[in-house]
Short mmCIF file of all heavy atoms in Angstrom, two decimals:
data_model
loop_
_atom_site.label_atom_id
_atom_site.label_comp_id
_atom_site.label_asym_id
_atom_site.label_seq_id
_atom_site.Cartn_x
_atom_site.Cartn_y
_atom_site.Cartn_z
N LYS A 6 -4.39 -16.69 -4.07
CA LYS A 6 -3.07 -16.56 -3.46
C LYS A 6 -2.86 -17.69 -2.46
O LYS A 6 -3.71 -17.94 -1.60
CB LYS A 6 -2.91 -15.20 -2.76
CG LYS A 6 -2.94 -14.03 -3.71
CD LYS A 6 -3.06 -12.70 -2.96
CE LYS A 6 -1.85 -12.42 -2.09
NZ LYS A 6 -1.99 -11.13 -1.38
N ILE A 7 -1.70 -18.36 -2.60
CA ILE A 7 -1.38 -19.49 -1.74
C ILE A 7 0.02 -19.32 -1.17
O ILE A 7 0.97 -19.01 -1.90
CB ILE A 7 -1.46 -20.82 -2.51
CG1 ILE A 7 -2.87 -21.04 -3.05
CG2 ILE A 7 -1.03 -21.99 -1.62
CD1 ILE A 7 -3.00 -22.24 -3.96
N GLN A 8 0.16 -19.54 0.13
CA GLN A 8 1.45 -19.56 0.81
C GLN A 8 1.51 -20.84 1.63
O GLN A 8 0.67 -21.07 2.49
CB GLN A 8 1.57 -18.33 1.72
CG GLN A 8 2.85 -18.27 2.54
CD GLN A 8 2.92 -17.01 3.38
OE1 GLN A 8 2.46 -15.94 2.97
NE2 GLN A 8 3.50 -17.12 4.56
N THR A 9 2.51 -21.69 1.34
CA THR A 9 2.55 -23.01 1.96
C THR A 9 3.98 -23.55 1.97
O THR A 9 4.79 -23.14 1.13
CB THR A 9 1.62 -23.97 1.20
OG1 THR A 9 1.49 -25.20 1.92
CG2 THR A 9 2.12 -24.26 -0.20
N PRO A 10 4.31 -24.44 2.89
CA PRO A 10 5.63 -25.10 2.84
C PRO A 10 5.84 -25.78 1.49
O PRO A 10 4.92 -26.42 0.95
CB PRO A 10 5.57 -26.11 3.98
CG PRO A 10 4.61 -25.51 4.95
CD PRO A 10 3.56 -24.84 4.10
N ASP A 11 7.04 -25.65 0.94
CA ASP A 11 7.31 -26.18 -0.39
C ASP A 11 7.47 -27.70 -0.36
O ASP A 11 7.99 -28.27 0.60
CB ASP A 11 8.58 -25.55 -0.94
CG ASP A 11 8.80 -25.91 -2.40
OD1 ASP A 11 7.80 -25.99 -3.14
OD2 ASP A 11 9.97 -26.10 -2.80
N SER A 12 7.02 -28.34 -1.42
CA SER A 12 7.21 -29.79 -1.60
C SER A 12 6.97 -30.11 -3.07
O SER A 12 6.41 -29.30 -3.82
CB SER A 12 6.26 -30.59 -0.71
OG SER A 12 4.91 -30.34 -1.05
N LYS A 13 7.37 -31.30 -3.48
CA LYS A 13 7.19 -31.70 -4.87
C LYS A 13 5.70 -31.85 -5.20
O LYS A 13 4.91 -32.32 -4.38
CB LYS A 13 7.90 -33.02 -5.13
CG LYS A 13 9.42 -32.91 -5.11
CD LYS A 13 10.06 -34.25 -5.45
CE LYS A 13 11.59 -34.13 -5.45
NZ LYS A 13 12.24 -35.42 -5.77
N GLY A 14 5.34 -31.45 -6.41
CA GLY A 14 3.99 -31.69 -6.91
C GLY A 14 2.94 -30.69 -6.46
O GLY A 14 1.75 -30.90 -6.70
N LEU A 15 3.37 -29.60 -5.83
CA LEU A 15 2.39 -28.62 -5.34
C LEU A 15 1.54 -28.06 -6.47
O LEU A 15 0.31 -28.01 -6.38
CB LEU A 15 3.09 -27.47 -4.61
CG LEU A 15 3.53 -27.70 -3.17
CD1 LEU A 15 4.24 -26.46 -2.65
CD2 LEU A 15 2.34 -28.03 -2.28
N ILE A 16 2.20 -27.61 -7.53
CA ILE A 16 1.46 -26.98 -8.63
C ILE A 16 0.49 -27.97 -9.27
O ILE A 16 -0.65 -27.61 -9.59
CB ILE A 16 2.44 -26.40 -9.67
CG1 ILE A 16 3.28 -25.29 -9.04
CG2 ILE A 16 1.68 -25.86 -10.87
CD1 ILE A 16 4.35 -24.74 -9.94
N ALA A 17 0.92 -29.20 -9.42
CA ALA A 17 0.04 -30.22 -10.01
C ALA A 17 -1.20 -30.43 -9.15
O ALA A 17 -2.33 -30.52 -9.67
CB ALA A 17 0.81 -31.53 -10.17
N ARG A 18 -1.02 -30.51 -7.82
CA ARG A 18 -2.16 -30.74 -6.93
C ARG A 18 -3.11 -29.54 -6.93
O ARG A 18 -4.33 -29.72 -6.98
CB ARG A 18 -1.66 -30.99 -5.50
CG ARG A 18 -1.20 -32.43 -5.26
CD ARG A 18 -0.72 -32.60 -3.84
NE ARG A 18 0.68 -32.22 -3.69
CZ ARG A 18 1.25 -31.91 -2.53
NH1 ARG A 18 0.53 -31.90 -1.42
NH2 ARG A 18 2.53 -31.59 -2.48
N ILE A 19 -2.53 -28.36 -6.91
CA ILE A 19 -3.37 -27.16 -6.86
C ILE A 19 -4.14 -26.97 -8.16
O ILE A 19 -5.35 -26.71 -8.15
CB ILE A 19 -2.50 -25.91 -6.56
CG1 ILE A 19 -1.89 -26.01 -5.17
CG2 ILE A 19 -3.32 -24.63 -6.71
CD1 ILE A 19 -0.77 -25.02 -4.92
N THR A 20 -3.45 -27.10 -9.28
CA THR A 20 -4.12 -26.90 -10.56
C THR A 20 -5.17 -27.98 -10.83
O THR A 20 -6.16 -27.73 -11.52
CB THR A 20 -3.11 -26.86 -11.71
OG1 THR A 20 -2.29 -28.04 -11.68
CG2 THR A 20 -2.22 -25.63 -11.60
N GLN A 21 -5.00 -29.19 -10.27
CA GLN A 21 -6.00 -30.23 -10.41
C GLN A 21 -7.30 -29.81 -9.72
O GLN A 21 -8.40 -29.99 -10.27
CB GLN A 21 -5.50 -31.54 -9.81
CG GLN A 21 -6.48 -32.72 -9.94
CD GLN A 21 -6.75 -33.11 -11.39
OE1 GLN A 21 -5.90 -32.94 -12.26
NE2 GLN A 21 -7.95 -33.63 -11.64
N VAL A 22 -7.18 -29.22 -8.52
CA VAL A 22 -8.38 -28.73 -7.82
C VAL A 22 -9.04 -27.62 -8.61
O VAL A 22 -10.27 -27.56 -8.72
CB VAL A 22 -8.00 -28.25 -6.40
CG1 VAL A 22 -9.21 -27.59 -5.72
CG2 VAL A 22 -7.49 -29.40 -5.55
N ILE A 23 -8.23 -26.72 -9.17
CA ILE A 23 -8.78 -25.63 -9.98
C ILE A 23 -9.55 -26.19 -11.18
O ILE A 23 -10.67 -25.77 -11.49
CB ILE A 23 -7.65 -24.70 -10.45
CG1 ILE A 23 -7.05 -23.96 -9.25
CG2 ILE A 23 -8.16 -23.70 -11.50
CD1 ILE A 23 -5.81 -23.15 -9.59
N PHE A 24 -8.96 -27.21 -11.84
CA PHE A 24 -9.59 -27.85 -13.00
C PHE A 24 -10.90 -28.53 -12.60
O PHE A 24 -11.92 -28.41 -13.29
CB PHE A 24 -8.63 -28.86 -13.62
CG PHE A 24 -9.24 -29.72 -14.68
CD1 PHE A 24 -9.49 -29.20 -15.95
CD2 PHE A 24 -9.58 -31.04 -14.43
CE1 PHE A 24 -10.07 -29.99 -16.94
CE2 PHE A 24 -10.15 -31.84 -15.40
CZ PHE A 24 -10.40 -31.30 -16.66
N GLU A 25 -10.87 -29.24 -11.48
CA GLU A 25 -12.07 -29.96 -11.04
C GLU A 25 -13.21 -29.04 -10.67
O GLU A 25 -14.38 -29.47 -10.63
CB GLU A 25 -11.71 -30.86 -9.84
CG GLU A 25 -10.82 -32.03 -10.22
CD GLU A 25 -10.30 -32.79 -9.00
OE1 GLU A 25 -10.54 -32.30 -7.87
OE2 GLU A 25 -9.67 -33.84 -9.19
N ASN A 26 -12.90 -27.77 -10.39
CA ASN A 26 -13.94 -26.81 -10.05
C ASN A 26 -14.29 -25.90 -11.23
O ASN A 26 -14.86 -24.81 -11.03
CB ASN A 26 -13.50 -25.98 -8.85
CG ASN A 26 -13.62 -26.74 -7.54
OD1 ASN A 26 -14.64 -26.67 -6.87
ND2 ASN A 26 -12.59 -27.49 -7.20
N ASN A 27 -13.93 -26.37 -12.43
CA ASN A 27 -14.33 -25.70 -13.68
C ASN A 27 -13.83 -24.26 -13.78
O ASN A 27 -14.51 -23.38 -14.33
CB ASN A 27 -15.86 -25.73 -13.84
CG ASN A 27 -16.39 -27.15 -13.93
OD1 ASN A 27 -15.85 -27.97 -14.67
ND2 ASN A 27 -17.44 -27.43 -13.18
N LEU A 28 -12.63 -24.03 -13.28
CA LEU A 28 -12.01 -22.73 -13.39
C LEU A 28 -10.87 -22.77 -14.40
O LEU A 28 -10.19 -23.80 -14.53
CB LEU A 28 -11.48 -22.26 -12.04
CG LEU A 28 -12.53 -21.99 -10.95
CD1 LEU A 28 -11.86 -21.74 -9.62
CD2 LEU A 28 -13.42 -20.81 -11.33
N ASN A 29 -10.67 -21.66 -15.09
CA ASN A 29 -9.61 -21.57 -16.08
C ASN A 29 -8.52 -20.62 -15.58
O ASN A 29 -8.81 -19.51 -15.14
CB ASN A 29 -10.18 -21.04 -17.41
CG ASN A 29 -9.12 -20.94 -18.48
OD1 ASN A 29 -8.30 -21.84 -18.65
ND2 ASN A 29 -9.12 -19.83 -19.22
#
Side-chain angles (χ1 to χ4, degrees):
K6 294 169 64 180
I7 299 173
Q8 177 178 325
T9 189
D11 188 37
S12 62
K13 290 182 179 180
L15 280 178
I16 297 175
R18 279 180 275 161
I19 295 166
T20 54
Q21 182 63 30
V22 173
I23 293 172
F24 171 75
E25 290 171 353
N26 283 268
N27 298 314
L28 294 172
N29 181 44

